[in-house]
Amino acid sequence: MKKLVSCRLVLACILCLLCIMPVCPQSAGNGGFPEGSTQGTSEMSEGLTGIDFPNISFSASAPQDGHQVAFSIELLLLLSILTLAPSIMLLCTCFLRFSIVLDFIKRALSLQQVPPTAVLNGIALFMAIFCMRPTFQKLYTDAFKPLSDNEITLTEAYGRAEKPIKLWMFSQMDENMGGRPAYESYVGNFMKMARMEQPRNLDEVPMSIIIPSYILHELTVAFKIGVLLYIPFIVIDMVVASILMSMGMMMLPPVQISMPFKLMLFVLVDGWGLLTSQLFNSVM
């Protein structure tokens, strides 16, 4: 056995030598391998230059006076507000109401993954932009455009931008109080908690009071709409559950049978069209 292995190794070495021997003279003669190739070099051409990277340095120094300290604090607060700006804008618009109602209808139909939550949020976002377009246009015309043209200062621009947003939120609360002024509900409660006098007009209500009042109001309205949307689908669930119980099919989930009927009802009455139109009417 050992002799057989040794013979195989010797034969393999002979074959390797036979393969290498014709190649070596050819490679030495041409100066490159394989045949027809050029001789490589590792030297860089004189016409090529390297890439110049700029020197980047950061330095921190102690503030010399109170103005520099105030500027640093203002910059920190501005960066913090910018990170929260999307959430603030969504809470100050009708996006909150739309997103909650759309999520309610998804749960009422017993749907788990269809449509996805991202799709519902996208629908709510574009609907909110459509409804808030006049307010955004007024904000751009009265505040942003003069500020970009250096006609007003940043403080004046903030005061002008505050008015249309505040008017929008206050009007939404005032229209859904059943004839009762809005400042007697959520606004009045927050004013009492802040130990402030009852406002005589909208200008006396600060944004720190009207924003949480508007958020609570939108949550209340959205939940009321959600309850009304749930009623017809709950009736279908109860009918299906009663039929299954009378037939002795207690182990069969009623939701599995009622979901197709709820979907057919929702499609036949044009549920998406009715839902969006009523949502628009509730805020316009």
Side-chain angles (χ1 to χ4, degrees):
M1 187 66 179
K2 293 181 179 181
K3 292 181 179 181
L4 182 59
V5 173
S6 302
C7 293
R8 290 181 178 178
L9 291 175
V10 172
L11 182 60
C13 294
I14 294 173
L15 291 175
C16 291
L17 291 175
L18 291 176
C19 294
I20 294 174
M21 288 176 62
V23 176
C24 293
Q26 183 179 6
S27 176
N30 294 336
F33 181 78
E35 184 179 359
S37 62
T38 58
Q39 185 68 27
T41 178
S42 60
E43 296 180 359
M44 183 179 293
S45 176
E46 296 180 356
L48 297 177
T49 59
I51 300 175
D52 295 332
F53 288 96
N55 294 325
I56 301 175
S57 61
F58 297 94
S59 60
S61 60
Q64 302 299 325
D65 52 14
H67 179 72
Q68 295 183 358
V69 175
F71 177 76
S72 301
I73 296 175
E74 290 177 358
L75 182 61
L76 180 61
L77 293 176
L78 179 61
L79 293 176
S80 301
I81 293 174
L82 288 177
T83 57
L84 299 175
S87 300
I88 295 174
M89 291 302 297
L90 294 179
L91 292 176
C92 294
T93 61
C94 51
F95 172 83
L96 181 62
R97 183 188 304 187
F98 292 165
S99 61
I100 293 175
V101 171
L102 291 176
D103 190 69
F104 264 113
I105 196 63
K106 177 181 176 180
R107 297 177 184 273
L109 290 172
S110 302
L111 299 175
Q112 300 297 327
Q113 302 296 333
V114 179
T117 304
V119 174
L120 295 179
N121 289 334
I123 295 172
L125 178 62
F126 283 103
M127 289 172 60
I129 293 174
F130 180 79
C131 293
M132 297 290 296
R133 184 177 179 181
T135 303
F136 290 153
Q137 186 67 32
K138 185 174 180 58
L139 190 149
Y140 174 81
T141 304
D142 296 345
F144 183 78
K145 190 65 169 60
L147 178 64
S148 62
D149 295 338
N150 294 324
E151 297 177 359
I152 58 176
T153 62
L154 182 60
T155 305
E156 294 175 348
Y158 174 77
R160 292 187 181 184
E162 186 183 54
K163 290 182 179 179
I165 300 296
K166 184 187 294 185
L167 181 62
W168 160 265
M169 292 187 291
F170 196 83
S171 63
Q172 291 298 313
M173 289 188 290
D174 203 27
E175 291 177 357
N176 293 276
M177 290 292 107
R180 188 162 53 96
Y183 59 82
E184 294 182 2
S185 57
Y186 298 109
V187 176
N189 292 333
F190 278 101
M191 296 286 285
K192 290 179 181 178
M193 287 187 287
R195 296 182 179 179
M196 300 174 63
E197 297 181 357
Q198 291 296 328
R200 292 173 294 180
N201 50 45
L202 183 59
D203 294 333
E204 296 182 359
V205 182
M207 289 294 288
S208 59
I209 297 295
I210 198 169
I211 288 179
S213 304
Y214 175 76
I215 293 173
L216 293 181
H217 170 264
E218 288 295 289
L219 289 173
T220 304
V221 173
F223 274 72
K224 289 180 180 179
I225 298 174
V227 170
L228 296 177
L229 289 174
Y230 253 104
I231 292 176
F233 301 111
I234 289 177
V235 172
I236 295 176
D237 288 333
M238 293 175 62
V239 171
V240 172
S242 300
I243 294 174
L244 292 178
M245 287 289 292
S246 63
M247 297 175 64
M249 298 180 181
M250 293 178 293
M251 301 302 295
L252 184 63
V255 177
Q256 187 176 356
I257 305 299
S258 63
M259 185 176 66
F261 293 100
K262 291 190 288 187
L263 290 177
M264 286 189 293
L265 174 64
F266 190 73
V267 172
L268 288 175
V269 300
D270 190 18
W272 292 114
L274 290 174
L275 183 63
T276 53
S277 62
Q278 292 303 316
L279 285 175
F280 281 132
N281 293 333
S282 67
V283 298
M284 298 300 292

